[in-house]
Amino acid sequence: MAKLDPSAQKKSDHTANYWLGGLTAVFFSLTIFFAFNSKPHVAAQPEIPLVDKKFLDTSPWRQTYADLVKAKEDLSDYDCYACHDKAKPPRIRYDTNQKIIIPKEHANIEMSHGTHERNNICYNCHNEQNLNTLQVRDGNVVKFDNIPQLCGSCHGPTLRDWEAGAHGRTSGYWDRQLGDINRLSCANCHNPHAPDIPTREAAPGPHYLHEASSHEPSKSHR
Ligand code: HEC
Ligand code: HEC
Ligand code: HEC
Ligand code: HEC
C-alpha cells in the first residue's frame, strides 16, 4: 500500500467537510419543508350545506293558556262570560247528522277528537257550571293551566308515561339538585280540540364526510 500523501489527506478531509456541510443543509431544508407541509394532502371536500334552521327550533309549536298568561298575550278567547250568560250555559247544537255545529264566534275551533269524533262534546272537558274551568269525568274541576290533569282523566296510561318522562319532551335536569325538570303540557303538542298531530316534513339524514360506499344508502334514499 502506498503511503498517503499528507496533502491528499488534507484534500479528502476538505471534501468530507463539504459533503457533511452540504448534507446538513439538505436535511435542514427538508426539516423546514416538512414542518411547513405537514398537513396530508387530501382532495378538497365538497361543500356540505348546513341543515335548514327550521329543523333546529326546539320551541313548542303551540302555546297553552298558561303560556299566554305568562307572555301577557291576548286572552279574550278565554273570557267566556264576556259573551255567555253565567245563569244559562250555552247549549250544544247538532246538525241532522249529529255533528256539532260550531258557531261563527268559535270559528277558530276545529273539532276532531278521536276517530269517529268520539270526544267532540264540549262538556266532556269544559265545565258548563263555570265556563272558566274544565272538568273531569268524576266531576272534579280542573283549572285551564292544569291541562295534563284533564287529559289524564281519560288517557291514564299516557299521563302515567308523561309523568315518568316517557311521553312528551322532557328537558332540564335529571339531578333535581342542579335545577328544575321541564315538562311540556299536553296542549303544547296536541290541540285539545283536534289532538292528532299533523304530519311534518322530516329533517334530512346525516351527511357522510367521505364518499358514500356501496354499504351506505345511496343519495336517493337520504
Ligand atoms: C266572542 C264571544 C264568545 C266568547 C268569548 C266565548 N263564546 Fe262560546 N259561544 C258564543 C256564541 C255566540 C255561541 C253560540 C250561541 C250560544 O250557544 O250561546 C257560543 C257557543 C258556545 C258553546 C256551544 C257550542 C256549540 O257548538 O253548540 C260552548 C260549549 C261555548 N260557547 C263555550 C265557550 C267557552 C268554554 C268559552 C270560554 C273559554 C267561550 N265559549 C267563549 C260566543 C262566545
Ligand atoms: C272525556 C275523555 C277524554 C278527554 C278528557 C281527552 N280525551 Fe283524548 N281521546 C278520547 C277518546 C275517546 C279518543 C278516541 C280514541 C279512539 O278513537 O280510539 C281520544 C283520542 C285522542 C288522541 C288520538 C288522536 C285522535 O284524534 O284519535 C289524542 C292524541 C288525544 N286523545 C289527546 C288528548 C289530549 C291532549 C287531551 C287533553 C287536552 C285529551 N285527549 C282529553 C277521550 C278523551
Ligand atoms: C278534549 C277536551 C275538550 C273538548 C272536547 C273541547 N274543549 Fe275547548 N278547550 C279545551 C282545553 C284543554 C282548552 C285550553 C286550550 C289550551 O290551553 O291550549 C280549550 C279551550 C277552549 C276555548 C278557548 C280557546 C280557543 O281556542 O278559543 C274555547 C272557546 C273552547 N275551548 C270552546 C270549546 C267548544 C265550543 C267545544 C265544543 C265544540 C270544546 N271547546 C270542546 C278542551 C276541550
Ligand atoms: C312533546 C310533545 C308531546 C307532549 C308534551 C305530549 N304528547 Fe302525546 N303525542 C305526541 C306525539 C308526537 C304523538 C304521536 C302522534 C301521532 O302519531 O300522531 C303522541 C301521541 C299521543 C296519543 C295517541 C295514542 C298513543 O299513545 O299513540 C295520546 C292519547 C296522547 N299523545 C296524549 C297525550 C297526553 C294526555 C299528554 C299530556 C299528559 C301528551 N300526549 C303530551 C307528542 C306529545
Side-chain angles (χ1 to χ4, degrees):
M1 225 218 288
K3 212 175 155 224
L4 272 173
D5 171 5
S7 72
Q9 166 81 42
K10 243 206 184 123
K11 205 175 170 200
S12 81
D13 274 0
H14 234 77
T15 329
N17 281 345
Y18 274 127
W19 272 105
L20 284 174
L23 280 174
T24 308
V26 166
F27 281 119
F28 187 69
S29 40
L30 277 176
T31 310
I32 291 173
F33 177 78
F34 285 128
F36 286 97
N37 291 277
S38 56
K39 282 192 215 118
H41 291 279
V42 282
Q45 293 282 338
E47 187 105 344
I48 296 174
L50 294 176
V51 73
D52 191 328
K53 284 267 191 314
K54 74 180 174 204
F55 292 114
L56 304 177
D57 184 8
T58 55
S59 53
W61 70 300
R62 278 195 95 248
Q63 284 197 303
T64 64
Y65 170 77
D67 295 332
L68 296 177
V69 171
K70 227 185 273 166
K72 297 198 166 67
E73 283 194 32
D74 174 27
L75 291 169
S76 56
D77 279 349
Y78 290 91
D79 192 7
C80 315
Y81 291 120
C83 302
H84 292 290
D85 183 350
K86 276 201 168 123
K88 255 201 317 188
R91 211 163 48 81
I92 298 174
R93 273 175 276 260
Y94 298 91
D95 67 14
T96 47
N97 294 322
Q98 289 301 302
K99 210 171 139 47
I100 291 180
I101 301 169
I102 307 287
K104 68 173 188 324
E105 286 78 4
H106 291 304
N108 63 318
I109 295 177
E110 174 220 342
M111 269 321 294
S112 174
H113 196 130
T115 44
H116 311 293
E117 316 205 321
R118 241 177 271 196
N119 189 31
N120 274 9
I121 298 170
C122 317
Y123 298 131
N124 278 0
C125 299
H126 292 277
N127 180 2
E128 53 185 312
Q129 306 309 326
N130 179 0
L131 293 178
N132 290 329
T133 59
L134 301 160
Q135 73 178 332
V136 296
R137 291 301 82 214
D138 62 10
N140 269 336
V141 170
V142 169
K143 292 212 178 115
F144 268 111
D145 56 11
N146 193 7
I147 292 170
Q149 222 46 53
L150 168 78
C151 311
S153 69
C154 293
H155 298 287
T158 316
L159 178 65
R160 178 203 59 205
D161 292 352
W162 179 83
E163 284 175 334
H167 187 103
R169 200 181 69 207
T170 299
S171 61
Y173 295 87
W174 292 115
D175 184 348
R176 306 295 147 78
Q177 286 179 329
L178 295 176
D180 283 340
I181 192 161
N182 305 319
R183 294 246 155 83
L184 291 175
S185 167
C186 316
N188 278 133
C189 300
H190 299 282
N191 175 349
H193 300 138
D196 204 7
I197 294 181
T199 306
R200 297 199 225 175
E201 191 191 338
H207 276 284
Y208 298 105
L209 291 176
H210 50 86
E211 279 295 296
S213 81
S214 57
H215 300 297
E216 289 155 350
S218 72
K219 274 213 165 81
S220 60
H221 290 124
R222 280 189 211 159

PDB file of all heavy atoms in Angstrom, residues 1 3 42 44 50 58 62 79 86 91 97 118 121 127 153 160 168 197-198 202 210:
ATOM      1  N   MET A   1       0.851  -1.199   0.000  1.00  0.00           N
ATOM      2  CA  MET A   1       0.000   0.000   0.000  1.00  0.00           C
ATOM      3  C   MET A   1       0.883   1.245   0.000  1.00  0.00           C
ATOM      4  O   MET A   1       1.821   1.333   0.779  1.00  0.00           O
ATOM      5  CB  MET A   1      -0.889  -0.010   1.248  1.00  0.00           C
ATOM      6  CG  MET A   1      -2.293   0.371   0.825  1.00  0.00           C
ATOM      7  SD  MET A   1      -3.147   1.389   1.954  1.00  0.00           S
ATOM      8  CE  MET A   1      -3.548   0.419   3.292  1.00  0.00           C
ATOM      9  N   LYS A   3       2.150   4.948   0.658  1.00  0.00           N
ATOM     10  CA  LYS A   3       1.999   5.868   1.794  1.00  0.00           C
ATOM     11  C   LYS A   3       1.169   7.049   1.354  1.00  0.00           C
ATOM     12  O   LYS A   3       1.385   7.620   0.279  1.00  0.00           O
ATOM     13  CB  LYS A   3       3.400   6.316   2.249  1.00  0.00           C
ATOM     14  CG  LYS A   3       3.434   6.556   3.724  1.00  0.00           C
ATOM     15  CD  LYS A   3       4.889   6.880   4.152  1.00  0.00           C
ATOM     16  CE  LYS A   3       4.882   7.701   5.411  1.00  0.00           C
ATOM     17  NZ  LYS A   3       5.829   8.809   5.320  1.00  0.00           N
ATOM     18  N   VAL A  42     -55.228  16.113   0.973  1.00  0.00           N
ATOM     19  CA  VAL A  42     -56.468  15.408   0.650  1.00  0.00           C
ATOM     20  C   VAL A  42     -57.206  16.225  -0.395  1.00  0.00           C
ATOM     21  O   VAL A  42     -57.040  17.437  -0.469  1.00  0.00           O
ATOM     22  CB  VAL A  42     -57.371  15.221   1.895  1.00  0.00           C
ATOM     23  CG1 VAL A  42     -56.885  14.110   2.770  1.00  0.00           C
ATOM     24  CG2 VAL A  42     -57.484  16.508   2.682  1.00  0.00           C
ATOM     25  N   ALA A  44     -60.022  18.274  -2.083  1.00  0.00           N
ATOM     26  CA  ALA A  44     -60.920  19.270  -1.493  1.00  0.00           C
ATOM     27  C   ALA A  44     -62.282  18.643  -1.235  1.00  0.00           C
ATOM     28  O   ALA A  44     -62.810  17.918  -2.070  1.00  0.00           O
ATOM     29  CB  ALA A  44     -61.055  20.447  -2.444  1.00  0.00           C
ATOM     30  N   LEU A  50     -75.402  23.475   5.359  1.00  0.00           N
ATOM     31  CA  LEU A  50     -75.860  23.395   6.747  1.00  0.00           C
ATOM     32  C   LEU A  50     -77.345  23.069   6.745  1.00  0.00           C
ATOM     33  O   LEU A  50     -78.066  23.411   5.827  1.00  0.00           O
ATOM     34  CB  LEU A  50     -75.613  24.729   7.447  1.00  0.00           C
ATOM     35  CG  LEU A  50     -74.139  25.077   7.623  1.00  0.00           C
ATOM     36  CD1 LEU A  50     -73.993  26.459   8.248  1.00  0.00           C
ATOM     37  CD2 LEU A  50     -73.442  24.039   8.486  1.00  0.00           C
ATOM     38  N   THR A  58     -86.430  24.424  18.769  1.00  0.00           N
ATOM     39  CA  THR A  58     -86.982  23.480  19.751  1.00  0.00           C
ATOM     40  C   THR A  58     -88.190  24.055  20.496  1.00  0.00           C
ATOM     41  O   THR A  58     -88.701  23.425  21.416  1.00  0.00           O
ATOM     42  CB  THR A  58     -85.913  23.084  20.793  1.00  0.00           C
ATOM     43  OG1 THR A  58     -85.405  24.277  21.382  1.00  0.00           O
ATOM     44  CG2 THR A  58     -84.797  22.285  20.165  1.00  0.00           C
ATOM     45  N   ARG A  62     -97.222  24.970  19.770  1.00  0.00           N
ATOM     46  CA  ARG A  62     -98.475  25.529  20.283  1.00  0.00           C
ATOM     47  C   ARG A  62     -98.221  26.235  21.603  1.00  0.00           C
ATOM     48  O   ARG A  62     -97.367  25.820  22.377  1.00  0.00           O
ATOM     49  CB  ARG A  62     -99.481  24.411  20.565  1.00  0.00           C
ATOM     50  CG  ARG A  62    -100.260  23.907  19.407  1.00  0.00           C
ATOM     51  CD  ARG A  62    -101.470  23.088  19.884  1.00  0.00           C
ATOM     52  NE  ARG A  62    -102.673  23.880  19.966  1.00  0.00           N
ATOM     53  CZ  ARG A  62    -103.296  24.211  21.078  1.00  0.00           C
ATOM     54  NH1 ARG A  62    -102.836  23.819  22.240  1.00  0.00           N
ATOM     55  NH2 ARG A  62    -104.390  24.934  21.042  1.00  0.00           N
ATOM     56  N   ASP A  79    -112.224  34.663  27.889  1.00  0.00           N
ATOM     57  CA  ASP A  79    -113.149  35.467  28.677  1.00  0.00           C
ATOM     58  C   ASP A  79    -114.568  35.033  28.311  1.00  0.00           C
ATOM     59  O   ASP A  79    -115.350  35.788  27.731  1.00  0.00           O
ATOM     60  CB  ASP A  79    -112.901  36.952  28.361  1.00  0.00           C
ATOM     61  CG  ASP A  79    -113.620  37.858  29.344  1.00  0.00           C
ATOM     62  OD1 ASP A  79    -114.183  37.328  30.327  1.00  0.00           O
ATOM     63  OD2 ASP A  79    -113.629  39.079  29.117  1.00  0.00           O
ATOM     64  N   LYS A  86    -123.858  33.740  32.719  1.00  0.00           N
ATOM     65  CA  LYS A  86    -123.488  32.815  33.812  1.00  0.00           C
ATOM     66  C   LYS A  86    -124.641  31.889  34.190  1.00  0.00           C
ATOM     67  O   LYS A  86    -124.426  30.737  34.565  1.00  0.00           O
ATOM     68  CB  LYS A  86    -123.043  33.597  35.049  1.00  0.00           C
ATOM     69  CG  LYS A  86    -121.582  33.975  34.955  1.00  0.00           C
ATOM     70  CD  LYS A  86    -120.982  34.270  36.337  1.00  0.00           C
ATOM     71  CE  LYS A  86    -119.473  34.344  36.214  1.00  0.00           C
ATOM     72  NZ  LYS A  86    -118.828  35.535  36.649  1.00  0.00           N
ATOM     73  N   ARG A  91    -125.986  26.029  25.013  1.00  0.00           N
ATOM     74  CA  ARG A  91    -126.484  24.721  24.644  1.00  0.00           C
ATOM     75  C   ARG A  91    -125.711  24.252  23.407  1.00  0.00           C
ATOM     76  O   ARG A  91    -125.464  25.039  22.489  1.00  0.00           O
ATOM     77  CB  ARG A  91    -127.982  24.815  24.312  1.00  0.00           C
ATOM     78  CG  ARG A  91    -128.787  23.557  24.637  1.00  0.00           C
ATOM     79  CD  ARG A  91    -130.287  23.856  24.678  1.00  0.00           C
ATOM     80  NE  ARG A  91    -130.727  24.624  23.509  1.00  0.00           N
ATOM     81  CZ  ARG A  91    -130.986  24.090  22.330  1.00  0.00           C
ATOM     82  NH1 ARG A  91    -130.854  22.793  22.117  1.00  0.00           N
ATOM     83  NH2 ARG A  91    -131.397  24.850  21.331  1.00  0.00           N
ATOM     84  N   ASN A  97    -126.908  15.271  11.125  1.00  0.00           N
ATOM     85  CA  ASN A  97    -126.033  14.095  11.190  1.00  0.00           C
ATOM     86  C   ASN A  97    -125.416  13.919  12.574  1.00  0.00           C
ATOM     87  O   ASN A  97    -124.419  13.205  12.725  1.00  0.00           O
ATOM     88  CB  ASN A  97    -124.901  14.210  10.167  1.00  0.00           C
ATOM     89  CG  ASN A  97    -125.419  14.157   8.748  1.00  0.00           C
ATOM     90  OD1 ASN A  97    -126.341  13.405   8.445  1.00  0.00           O
ATOM     91  ND2 ASN A  97    -124.830  14.968   7.875  1.00  0.00           N
ATOM     92  N   ARG A 118    -115.165  10.834  18.472  1.00  0.00           N
ATOM     93  CA  ARG A 118    -115.747  10.275  19.672  1.00  0.00           C
ATOM     94  C   ARG A 118    -115.788  11.219  20.855  1.00  0.00           C
ATOM     95  O   ARG A 118    -116.605  11.061  21.745  1.00  0.00           O
ATOM     96  CB  ARG A 118    -114.916   9.049  20.075  1.00  0.00           C
ATOM     97  CG  ARG A 118    -115.725   7.784  20.087  1.00  0.00           C
ATOM     98  CD  ARG A 118    -114.816   6.646  20.411  1.00  0.00           C
ATOM     99  NE  ARG A 118    -114.254   6.107  19.182  1.00  0.00           N
ATOM    100  CZ  ARG A 118    -113.676   4.916  19.136  1.00  0.00           C
ATOM    101  NH1 ARG A 118    -113.581   4.191  20.210  1.00  0.00           N
ATOM    102  NH2 ARG A 118    -113.210   4.465  18.004  1.00  0.00           N
ATOM    103  N   ILE A 121    -117.711  16.350  22.274  1.00  0.00           N
ATOM    104  CA  ILE A 121    -118.712  17.083  23.048  1.00  0.00           C
ATOM    105  C   ILE A 121    -118.031  18.041  24.029  1.00  0.00           C
ATOM    106  O   ILE A 121    -117.233  17.625  24.877  1.00  0.00           O
ATOM    107  CB  ILE A 121    -119.651  16.095  23.787  1.00  0.00           C
ATOM    108  CG1 ILE A 121    -120.366  15.257  22.731  1.00  0.00           C
ATOM    109  CG2 ILE A 121    -120.644  16.836  24.661  1.00  0.00           C
ATOM    110  CD1 ILE A 121    -121.133  14.095  23.281  1.00  0.00           C
ATOM    111  N   ASN A 127    -116.449  22.927  31.757  1.00  0.00           N
ATOM    112  CA  ASN A 127    -117.386  22.850  32.870  1.00  0.00           C
ATOM    113  C   ASN A 127    -118.576  23.764  32.587  1.00  0.00           C
ATOM    114  O   ASN A 127    -118.432  24.986  32.589  1.00  0.00           O
ATOM    115  CB  ASN A 127    -116.655  23.277  34.146  1.00  0.00           C
ATOM    116  CG  ASN A 127    -117.545  23.236  35.373  1.00  0.00           C
ATOM    117  OD1 ASN A 127    -118.718  22.843  35.292  1.00  0.00           O
ATOM    118  ND2 ASN A 127    -116.993  23.643  36.503  1.00  0.00           N
ATOM    119  N   SER A 153    -107.429  12.220  32.774  1.00  0.00           N
ATOM    120  CA  SER A 153    -108.632  11.594  33.318  1.00  0.00           C
ATOM    121  C   SER A 153    -109.201  10.580  32.335  1.00  0.00           C
ATOM    122  O   SER A 153    -109.926   9.677  32.726  1.00  0.00           O
ATOM    123  CB  SER A 153    -109.678  12.659  33.686  1.00  0.00           C
ATOM    124  OG  SER A 153    -110.194  13.262  32.527  1.00  0.00           O
ATOM    125  N   ARG A 160     -99.522   8.652  32.887  1.00  0.00           N
ATOM    126  CA  ARG A 160     -98.504   7.928  33.676  1.00  0.00           C
ATOM    127  C   ARG A 160     -97.148   8.012  32.963  1.00  0.00           C
ATOM    128  O   ARG A 160     -96.127   8.313  33.575  1.00  0.00           O
ATOM    129  CB  ARG A 160     -98.947   6.470  33.836  1.00  0.00           C
ATOM    130  CG  ARG A 160     -97.977   5.578  34.595  1.00  0.00           C
ATOM    131  CD  ARG A 160     -98.196   4.127  34.238  1.00  0.00           C
ATOM    132  NE  ARG A 160     -98.017   3.909  32.808  1.00  0.00           N
ATOM    133  CZ  ARG A 160     -98.567   2.921  32.098  1.00  0.00           C
ATOM    134  NH1 ARG A 160     -99.333   2.042  32.689  1.00  0.00           N
ATOM    135  NH2 ARG A 160     -98.346   2.801  30.803  1.00  0.00           N
ATOM    136  N   GLY A 168     -93.948  12.833  25.641  1.00  0.00           N
ATOM    137  CA  GLY A 168     -93.766  14.280  25.669  1.00  0.00           C
ATOM    138  C   GLY A 168     -92.303  14.577  25.887  1.00  0.00           C
ATOM    139  O   GLY A 168     -91.529  13.704  26.275  1.00  0.00           O
ATOM    140  N   ILE A 197    -101.617  14.782  15.806  1.00  0.00           N
ATOM    141  CA  ILE A 197    -100.535  15.690  15.413  1.00  0.00           C
ATOM    142  C   ILE A 197    -100.327  15.636  13.904  1.00  0.00           C
ATOM    143  O   ILE A 197    -100.114  14.554  13.361  1.00  0.00           O
ATOM    144  CB  ILE A 197     -99.242  15.356  16.191  1.00  0.00           C
ATOM    145  CG1 ILE A 197     -99.483  15.655  17.674  1.00  0.00           C
ATOM    146  CG2 ILE A 197     -98.057  16.153  15.665  1.00  0.00           C
ATOM    147  CD1 ILE A 197     -98.308  15.399  18.571  1.00  0.00           C
ATOM    148  N   PRO A 198    -100.408  16.779  13.229  1.00  0.00           N
ATOM    149  CA  PRO A 198    -100.254  16.768  11.777  1.00  0.00           C
ATOM    150  C   PRO A 198     -98.866  16.269  11.369  1.00  0.00           C
ATOM    151  O   PRO A 198     -97.892  16.506  12.076  1.00  0.00           O
ATOM    152  CB  PRO A 198    -100.420  18.239  11.367  1.00  0.00           C
ATOM    153  CG  PRO A 198    -100.800  18.995  12.591  1.00  0.00           C
ATOM    154  CD  PRO A 198    -100.561  18.134  13.774  1.00  0.00           C
ATOM    155  N   ALA A 202     -89.931  15.701   7.345  1.00  0.00           N
ATOM    156  CA  ALA A 202     -88.829  15.073   8.079  1.00  0.00           C
ATOM    157  C   ALA A 202     -87.532  15.847   7.849  1.00  0.00           C
ATOM    158  O   ALA A 202     -87.304  16.379   6.757  1.00  0.00           O
ATOM    159  CB  ALA A 202     -88.659  13.629   7.627  1.00  0.00           C
ATOM    160  N   HIS A 210     -67.160  11.416   3.876  1.00  0.00           N
ATOM    161  CA  HIS A 210     -66.349  10.849   2.806  1.00  0.00           C
ATOM    162  C   HIS A 210     -67.297  10.347   1.728  1.00  0.00           C
ATOM    163  O   HIS A 210     -68.502  10.279   1.945  1.00  0.00           O
ATOM    164  CB  HIS A 210     -65.484   9.706   3.349  1.00  0.00           C
ATOM    165  CG  HIS A 210     -66.272   8.702   4.148  1.00  0.00           C
ATOM    166  ND1 HIS A 210     -66.924   7.646   3.567  1.00  0.00           N
ATOM    167  CD2 HIS A 210     -66.556   8.649   5.475  1.00  0.00           C
ATOM    168  CE1 HIS A 210     -67.561   6.959   4.513  1.00  0.00           C
ATOM    169  NE2 HIS A 210     -67.359   7.558   5.681  1.00  0.00           N
TER     170      HIS A 210
END
